[in-house]
Amino acid sequence: MIIQGTHRYVNVAAAVSIVVLLAGISTLAVGIQNAMASWRWVIHTREVLEHVQGTQSLINEADALQKSLRLGYDRQDEAEFQARLAALPREIDVLTQLTSDNPVQQRTLARFRRQVDEYANNLRTGLARGAPYPSRDGERALRRAIVAQVAAMQAEEERLLALREASVGVDRARTIAAAAAVSVLSIASGFQAAMQESGSPDRALVMRSGADGEMTSGVSGAEADIIKQAPG
């Protein structure tokens, strides 16, 4: 009866372990998927930041080339100046596409596009006239407004980057915990399976009264014969 009860207990424990193991595997798979998704968002946010910085660089380079051309015409500088101005709308288009899921950035980019278009036209007009257009103060005011929009976009993306990197950390910790749990449960399930396969209802463990383990329970040959002849 005791052996049958123990065998039944082992079966129930094995079934519970298998269920928990399957749940752990499922949690691990979800954790890996979430970690991968979080990393993709981190990479995406860093890409947006790179394009914001690239747009700022194009504006700075176009401004510097325009001032250089006003001091003295150079064909190579003229070509590079026009190339920078032509690249600005394309860079803003890329930013608009990358941030299409962010209404805050879309509103900022709409204002930014209008300001950059105005600034590019002013640079062309100023180059043709050989002086800042519409005036030095007007040029500086528009430039400060553009810098403010760039700073706003960078702040928003850096905020998102911090949140997404924190999410990556949480997902990584959950994945590690799930992997550790699956490993432990796998070992436990293997041990229980070994116990089930090696155990049998017609086998019994006999110990001397008062013994607390197999090593302290000695049975003589005569006592073993008596045990063999016992019923069951």
Side-chain angles (χ1 to χ4, degrees), residues 14 59 78-79 85 93 129 142 172 186 188-189 216 219 224-225 227:
I59 293 171
E78 169 72 15
L85 294 183
D93 287 341
R129 296 187 177 187
L142 183 55
R172 184 189 295 115
S186 298
S189 297
T216 60
V219 178
D225 291 335
I227 294 171

Side-chain angles (χ1 to χ4, degrees), residues 1-9 201:
M1 183 66 66
I2 295 176
I3 294 175
Q4 290 177 347
T6 303
H7 191 67
R8 189 180 304 111
Y9 170 77

Side-chain angles (χ1 to χ4, degrees), residues 18-197:
I18 290 173
V19 172
V20 176
L21 177 60
L22 291 175
I25 293 173
S26 176
T27 303
L28 178 60
V30 172
I32 292 173
Q33 290 177 347
N34 289 341
M36 292 176 63
S38 297
W39 267 117
R40 283 195 293 269
W41 276 114
V42 167
I43 293 171
H44 171 84
T45 307
R46 288 175 178 170
E47 183 181 1
V48 173
L49 280 170
E50 288 177 2
H51 281 283
V52 171
Q53 293 166 358
T55 304
Q56 180 67 70
S57 296
L58 287 173
I59 293 171
N60 293 340
E61 291 166 7
D63 183 73
L65 286 165
Q66 193 250 31
K67 288 180 171 59
S68 175
L69 287 167
R70 276 164 40 193
L71 294 174
Y73 179 79
D74 181 87
R75 182 178 297 178
Q76 181 65 30
D77 286 348
E78 169 72 15
E80 291 183 2
F81 171 69
Q82 297 298 337
R84 299 301 188 279
L85 294 183
L88 277 171
R90 294 194 297 269
E91 196 71 14
I92 296 174
D93 287 341
V94 172
L95 281 170
T96 302
Q97 183 178 3
L98 288 173
T99 60
S100 59
D101 60 329
N102 189 329
V104 174
Q105 293 294 58
Q106 291 293 295
R107 290 192 294 270
T108 303
L109 277 166
R111 293 190 296 269
F112 182 65
R113 185 188 293 274
R114 290 192 296 270
Q115 291 169 346
V116 169
D117 287 344
E118 181 182 355
Y119 190 70
N121 290 332
N122 289 352
L123 285 179
R124 291 189 179 98
T125 303
L127 178 61
R129 296 187 177 187
Y133 181 83
S135 65
R136 187 176 299 278
D137 290 340
E139 184 182 79
R140 289 175 177 172
L142 183 55
R143 183 65 183 273
R144 284 194 297 270
I146 289 173
V147 170
Q149 298 302 326
V150 170
M153 287 188 287
Q154 286 179 328
E156 173 66 8
E157 291 304 317
E158 287 169 357
R159 181 186 71 83
L160 292 174
L161 182 61
L163 291 175
R164 289 163 180 173
E165 286 179 339
S167 179
V168 167
V170 172
D171 291 334
R172 184 189 295 115
R174 288 176 178 172
T175 301
I176 292 172
V182 168
S183 300
V184 172
L185 290 171
S186 298
I187 295 172
S189 297
F191 178 74
Q192 288 176 343
M195 293 291 290
Q196 281 184 299
E197 293 176 2

